Amino acid sequence: MVTFLHTDEGTDEAAWSARGLPVIPELPLAPEELAAMRFLVLAAHPDDETLGAGGLLARLHGLGAEVEVLLCTAGEASHPGSETVSREELTARRLAEFAAALASMGLTDRWRYLGLPDSGLAERTADITRVVREAAAGLAGPAGRLAIVAPYRADGHADHDALGSVAAAVAAGNGYALLEYPIWYWHWATPGNPEWQSWVRLPLEPEEQSIKERAMQEHASQTTPLSPHPGDEVLLSESFLRHFSRPFETFAWTPPQEFMPGKPGGPGTVPHTSKEAQGIFDGIHNREPDPWKYATSWYERRKRALTVAALPSEQYSSALEIGCSIGTLTAELAPRCANLLAVDASGAALAQAAERLAPFPGVSARQLTMPAEWPGGSYDLVVVSEVGYYLTASELEALIERIRHSMLPGGTLLLCHWRHPISGWELDGETVHTRVRDGLKWPTAGLYRERDFLLETLTVPMAAVPAP
């Protein structure tokens, strides 16, 4: 449990800026994707939403996205030592400030006050869970197009942690996206803490920064003294507020379930062979042509760009892509390969891939169930992207041996996989990479790790490496 006081000196903003915080990855959602989503924003106290996500809220309003804000408490316990302002008076004042701040962000009448006790949310998690579930369900539309925006679940403030944990549980249980905004983390943590290194940032336009600043000015009870008397001192110091005047906002980001590779199998449905998986994926692609939004999602488009950029050689003579799906990555690999064979177990996915790949004369597509149906041949590039965890452990071991005996000296093996747990499948991305790395013992040419995916290239030694 983190312990701190708001009066502590805290970590200076210069320390955060000096340690690479401004260059962490951007939130992988384009404006058109944000505009198409719905957002349920949770705040434990008035000003949480402005400090942590004021710029995001300004952007969402500008894009016309649907937003609902739930305020849990009035923050009436912010000045427990005050002898001049009662809790009732502070409740009224802070609710008025909250309404004014939301109005300045274009969200008048888009919020609801739950009337829960300040500093008491940990004892009311059942009630909060029910309200959050109902509010999320009331925002009509597909689960994958709803995001919950909430305090970071390990922010260090008991109310923030309780509300963030509820948000995380509801999001995970319903397939919603989750954006967690840190507040007191910036005060007590240091750049040596590891959490922030896997987060994402949302760069803010100058107008969005101005809107956030104006909204924060409405929370005068927190940024200026209530009076000159003891107990009425300013709560949020200038040094603390500097963390929130950055030209970006930072979030711990969990994509919606529809972006996650584990969704197709469903909880508790573990295929025993890749042949069984073939039927699952045929059914998925027959119902929806692009179930993971490969062609439209900014997350997928950006990941493909990073994947292709990670290839250490400019050109390859003979390449094999295992698990090509509908061929979106294949189409971007094609200009780098004289000959490229793309294979997938799903005939429904390959039908789309064949149409997409028709303009590339050096590319062919075949329906094969790996590793049993191996195409033969020798390759100087093999790509295994978002497919390794659909194999059983024994199938992955067999695939490793197929790759070992099919690759040319000096060639490149590229792996890219989702890093989070894969619901309904035996393996996960980190395990796949570890087993491939340990099994082949080939040198790592490059390794790139984000919160959501792991991208790695291995180089085949020029001299043959015998199997262990």
Side-chain angles (χ1 to χ4, degrees):
M1 171 68 71
V2 175
T3 57
F4 65 90
L5 296 174
H6 74 276
T7 53
D8 292 343
E9 183 177 352
T11 303
D12 190 84
E13 174 60 14
W16 288 110
S17 300
R19 287 293 296 269
L21 185 61
V23 295
I24 59 176
E26 291 187 17
L27 176 68
L29 291 174
E32 60 269 21
E33 292 177 290
L34 289 171
M37 295 178 68
R38 295 154 293 124
F39 294 84
L40 179 62
V41 182
L42 310 181
H45 318 98
D47 76 15
D48 289 347
E49 78 301 324
T50 303
L51 288 167
L56 171 65
L57 295 181
R59 176 164 303 180
L60 295 179
H61 172 67
L63 293 172
E66 185 176 357
V67 178
E68 181 178 352
V69 183
L70 297 182
L71 173 64
C72 291
T73 83
E76 67 277 7
S78 65
H79 291 76
S82 176
E83 297 181 356
T84 64
V85 181
S86 69
R87 285 205 172 196
E88 292 74 20
E89 291 172 323
L90 196 53
T91 293
R93 180 169 175 178
R94 295 205 67 184
L95 289 178
E97 292 174 347
F98 182 80
L102 268 286
S104 70
M105 293 184 283
L107 298 174
T108 303
D109 300 326
R110 302 290 292 275
W111 61 278
R112 182 155 47 107
Y113 170 50
L114 303 185
L116 298 174
D118 189 3
S119 303
L121 297 190
E123 289 75 43
R124 303 293 294 271
T125 55
D127 294 333
I128 299 170
T129 299
R130 174 181 53 79
V131 173
V132 171
R133 283 176 177 162
E134 291 174 353
L139 292 171
R145 286 294 175 264
L146 186 141
I148 298 179
V149 183
Y152 176 48
R153 73 189 89 168
D155 197 46
H157 186 297
D159 281 351
H160 294 189
D161 295 358
L163 185 57
S165 295
V166 167
V170 173
N174 294 274
Y176 304 142
L178 179 65
L179 284 162
E180 300 176 69
Y181 55 86
I183 294 179
W184 287 105
Y185 179 91
W186 305 120
H187 180 67
W188 60 260
T190 71
N193 289 77
E195 298 86 4
W196 66 272
Q197 298 177 44
S198 63
W199 295 348
V200 298
R201 62 188 174 93
L202 176 71
L204 302 179
E205 298 294 335
E207 178 60 21
E208 293 165 345
Q209 286 184 263
S210 297
I211 291 172
K212 178 174 180 174
E213 182 180 353
R214 290 196 296 272
M216 197 60 219
Q217 289 171 355
E218 299 291 352
H219 294 285
S221 66
Q222 307 302 292
T223 59
T224 60
L226 296 179
S227 80
H229 300 289
D232 288 351
E233 295 85 2
V234 65
L235 186 72
L236 305 180
S237 67
E238 290 186 10
S239 61
F240 175 77
L241 291 173
R242 286 192 199 101
H243 299 313
F244 306 97
S245 61
R246 301 165 179 162
F248 59 89
E249 289 177 337
T250 308
F251 301 91
W253 158 245
T254 303
Q257 186 72 29
E258 69 173 35
F259 292 163
M260 299 183 183
K263 187 179 181 182
T269 307
V270 181
H272 294 290
T273 68
S274 52
K275 195 69 175 177
E276 292 177 70
Q278 174 185 339
I280 292 174
F281 288 102
D282 274 338
I284 291 167
H285 286 94
N286 284 327
R287 290 193 302 271
E288 187 175 354
D290 188 4
W292 292 284
K293 306 297 185 290
Y294 287 139
T296 58
S297 162
W298 169 239
Y299 169 79
E300 293 293 344
R301 288 184 282 129
R302 174 177 172 273
K303 185 178 64 175
R304 285 199 300 276
L306 289 168
T307 299
V308 174
L311 295 174
S313 297
E314 184 176 4
Q315 291 291 321
Y316 293 89
S317 60
S318 179
L320 170 66
E321 182 190 2
I322 300 172
C324 66
S325 187
I326 62 174
T328 49
L329 177 59
T330 320
E332 299 193 31
L333 291 169
R336 303 278 292 273
C337 305
N339 295 282
L340 172 58
L341 172 60
V343 304
D344 199 276
S346 170
L350 275 175
Q352 293 189 62
E355 183 176 349
R356 177 173 277 106
L357 301 174
F360 303 101
V363 178
S364 58
R366 291 173 60 184
Q367 184 177 5
L368 297 174
T369 302
M370 295 289 186
E373 299 175 337
W374 190 257
S378 297
Y379 305 95
D380 58 353
L381 172 64
V382 172
V383 175
V384 183
S385 178
E386 306 290 16
V387 70
Y389 31 61
Y390 296 136
L391 304 176
T392 65
S394 60
E395 286 175 333
L396 179 60
E397 184 177 346
L399 180 69
I400 292 170
E401 290 309 306
R402 293 283 198 180
I403 291 171
R404 182 196 304 280
H405 297 292
S406 299
M407 292 200 68
L408 297 168
T412 300
L413 171 62
L414 185 145
L415 309 169
C416 183
H417 290 86
W418 178 255
R419 292 187 62 202
H420 301 281
I422 307 299
S423 175
W425 302 86
E426 182 178 350
L427 303 175
D428 59 30
E430 292 280 1
T431 301
V432 169
H433 282 240
T434 298
R435 293 192 179 191
V436 172
R437 197 183 304 123
D438 292 348
L440 291 173
K441 294 183 172 57
W442 291 347
T444 296
L447 179 63
Y448 178 76
R449 178 182 277 106
E450 286 193 5
R451 174 184 172 87
D452 296 325
F453 68 90
L454 177 63
L455 175 60
E456 185 169 4
T457 53
L458 305 177
T459 300
V460 185
M462 295 304 295
V465 177

